[in-house]
Amino acid sequence: MGYRLGRRSFLTGMLGVSSLPLLGSLPASAQDKKLRVFGYGGGADFKGLFDAFEKASGVKVSYEGVPFADLQNTIVQRFRTGNSGIDVFLVDPTYIPTFSKLRILADLTSAFGEKSKGTLFPSDVQGATYNGRMMSMPMWESSQLLFFNKGLLAKAGVEPPGVSPDARLTWEKLIELAKKVQAAGAETGFGFEQVDRYYQLQVLTESLGGGPGVKGDDLLTVDVANDAWLQAGKWYGSLFADGVASRAPTGQEMPDLFKAGRIAFLVGGPWLIADFNKVDGLDYAAAPHPYFAGGKAVTPSESFHLGVAADTPNADQALEFLNYAGLDKDGAVVASGGSNLSANIEANAEVLSRIPQQNPNLKGVDILMSYELANTAIRRPRSLGYLQLEELVTRAWSDIRNGSDAALTFPQLQRELERSFKRIER
């Protein structure tokens, strides 16, 4: 997620504030007729959820969104005024420490702390917890798959990878196959859906044992220049220097190129499946996310949570909405929107079971993703410095993609992050 750096000083300057508002202390009177939800875009991803919630509860939902890249900073600015005009908002769980310090989030522990046990994935509950308090409601989950174009592989005489975790390719073998398919006529051998993004590339350093870039009890000790980071950076740069991956496409262009039959292998999220299935003639399948030879298999995970605004006058309605979207199985299925995994265990099982029904080429993908969530999923670090970490690491990966030497880029990144972290109040 590429957030702008302009308001970092505001964020870091306020992190000395530590008290957390308890949900029970919020005013329960002055209930508005509409629940005000804040997020990204125009709300199309959530219309089904809002309609279902209104039908189940009688509560109408109004939605306000901003461009995705502006979401986190806009949330902070809205609360800075003292009257956010928000009841519920989308929360990237890596920002829970920051939002808690800024007193933006209401404490949900008394409402959902016990109810969430056994209903949500334990790792998601852990991700929603800060200083022993549950601060958000996990809504979505995520994983990553290795998509491949069956026609391009067949043309090159490359046997398609299997869907079982035991058939997981190493990065080294995958790139070897990608080059072979490219030599047989594919425009591009390999690509990442989320070009340069921390969420997508954290697994490279983690697979090699290099960690997420921060360490220590408070995750505020920078560690982005160790041998594993340098090795991962060198490998990433070689993809583009060798031409097996293209420097040009970014963002949504990658899935579009895959749909057009121009990329042999694409690492991306399961949310792409519904869109891929709409493309006539796209003969594709999916395999496990790769790992480095001699390293461990790890996969990106987690996704958006829902938070209750600390200054909402509509606490009861907000709680009802979070309960429906997160803990109610039927509501959580609707909340997935048909293309996202769910943090609700039962709802996620139902969402996954529908995937092979949509495309016979995807038989076994539901079992694969269940395995990944239970065994290989990793989460981004819950650090008060995550805003800086994400932005500067993403910029460093971009520089390497465009030809910078990882051996120079990551030590410079180390120094930049250390300077930035010094401004954070512990």
Side-chain angles (χ1 to χ4, degrees):
M1 304 176 189
Y3 306 125
R4 289 197 289 262
L5 295 172
R7 297 189 176 97
R8 184 187 300 150
S9 58
F10 166 66
L11 282 169
T12 56
M14 291 187 65
L15 290 180
V17 181
S18 59
S19 60
L20 303 177
L22 295 174
L23 192 61
S25 67
L26 296 173
S29 59
Q31 295 285 316
D32 290 343
K33 292 184 178 180
K34 282 190 176 182
L35 186 71
R36 303 163 299 179
V37 177
F38 187 84
Y40 62 81
D45 290 346
F46 311 101
K47 186 179 186 306
L49 171 62
F50 298 156
D51 291 346
F53 176 67
E54 181 180 348
K55 184 176 181 181
S57 67
V59 177
K60 294 185 177 181
V61 177
S62 63
Y63 185 82
E64 181 183 357
V66 296
F68 185 87
D70 297 331
L71 179 60
Q72 309 305 330
N73 284 326
T74 304
I75 288 171
V76 171
Q77 289 300 315
R78 288 286 291 267
F79 282 91
R80 189 182 187 184
T81 66
N83 181 14
S84 69
I86 298 170
D87 298 316
V88 173
F89 60 100
L90 293 179
V91 177
D92 179 333
T94 55
Y95 289 88
I96 289 174
T98 298
F99 287 174
S100 297
K101 287 286 187 180
L102 296 177
R103 296 186 294 179
I104 286 173
L105 287 167
D107 188 338
L108 305 178
T109 309
S110 60
F112 299 124
E114 288 300 318
K115 290 177 67 176
S116 63
K117 295 178 180 178
T119 302
L120 304 177
F121 287 108
S123 56
D124 284 303
V125 176
Q126 181 181 3
T129 302
Y130 179 66
N131 283 343
R133 314 299 297 178
M134 185 174 179
M135 303 305 300
S136 62
M137 173 61 72
M139 179 174 61
W140 293 341
E141 246 298 351
S142 69
S143 187
Q144 291 284 292
L145 298 164
L146 175 64
F147 295 104
F148 57 90
N149 185 304
K150 295 178 67 177
L152 292 178
L153 268 62
K155 182 180 177 182
V158 170
E159 182 178 353
V163 72
S164 167
D166 295 334
R168 191 184 309 272
L169 295 175
T170 63
W171 284 117
E172 293 86 349
K173 182 62 177 179
L174 169 62
I175 299 308
E176 175 187 324
L177 296 179
K179 289 179 177 179
K180 186 175 181 180
V181 180
Q182 195 173 21
E187 179 179 318
T188 303
F190 170 76
F192 287 104
E193 175 197 357
Q194 297 187 32
V195 179
D196 302 333
R197 284 188 175 180
Y198 185 94
Y199 166 86
Q200 184 96 86
L201 301 182
Q202 179 189 353
V203 294
L204 299 182
T205 60
E206 296 269 19
S207 179
L208 291 168
V214 287
K215 61 184 181 180
D217 292 340
D218 58 3
L219 294 177
L220 285 173
T221 299
V222 181
D223 187 24
V224 297
N226 59 56
D227 290 344
W229 272 72
L230 298 180
Q231 183 181 342
K234 181 179 179 181
W235 177 85
Y236 187 67
S238 72
L239 298 178
F240 305 96
D242 294 348
V244 67
S246 173
R247 287 192 171 114
T250 59
Q252 182 57 38
E253 295 172 89
M254 298 303 295
D256 288 344
L257 290 173
F258 186 81
K259 289 189 292 184
R262 296 167 60 184
I263 299 178
F265 293 97
L266 177 71
V267 169
W271 48 81
L272 298 174
I273 290 173
D275 204 23
F276 287 171
N277 287 342
K278 297 175 184 177
V279 181
D280 290 337
L282 179 60
D283 189 15
Y284 81 100
H289 189 287
Y291 71 110
F292 282 112
K296 63 180 180 178
V298 287
T299 51
S301 68
E302 73 185 349
S303 190
F304 275 110
H305 292 199
L306 295 171
V308 174
D311 61 0
T312 178
N314 299 318
D316 291 342
Q317 292 178 346
L319 287 177
E320 188 175 4
F321 181 71
L322 264 64
N323 187 80
Y324 182 76
L327 301 183
D328 182 278
K329 184 236 182 179
D330 293 337
V333 169
V334 175
S336 74
S339 59
N340 292 289
L341 306 185
S342 176
N344 182 299
I345 297 170
E346 290 187 0
N348 194 60
E350 181 169 328
V351 170
L352 287 175
S353 70
R354 296 176 180 179
I355 292 177
Q357 300 172 17
Q358 300 166 11
N359 188 328
N361 282 345
L362 300 177
K363 181 179 180 181
V365 167
D366 53 332
I367 299 172
L368 168 63
M369 284 195 284
S370 293
Y371 175 88
E372 303 287 49
L373 288 173
N375 296 279
T376 66
I378 60 171
R379 299 179 186 278
R380 294 165 295 163
R382 298 298 190 266
S383 169
L384 287 172
Y386 183 76
L387 173 69
Q388 297 94 316
L389 179 73
E390 181 184 60
E391 291 189 19
L392 294 178
V393 168
T394 296
R395 182 189 299 171
W397 285 120
S398 178
D399 290 342
I400 292 169
R401 172 171 57 89
N402 287 300
S404 295
D405 186 347
L408 299 175
T409 301
F410 284 146
Q412 174 62 27
L413 173 66
Q414 175 85 18
R415 293 188 290 271
E416 287 186 63
L417 283 170
E418 287 175 347
R419 287 194 297 269
S420 182
F421 279 20
K422 286 180 180 179
R423 297 195 293 269
I424 297 174
E425 292 190 35
R426 316 296 169 104

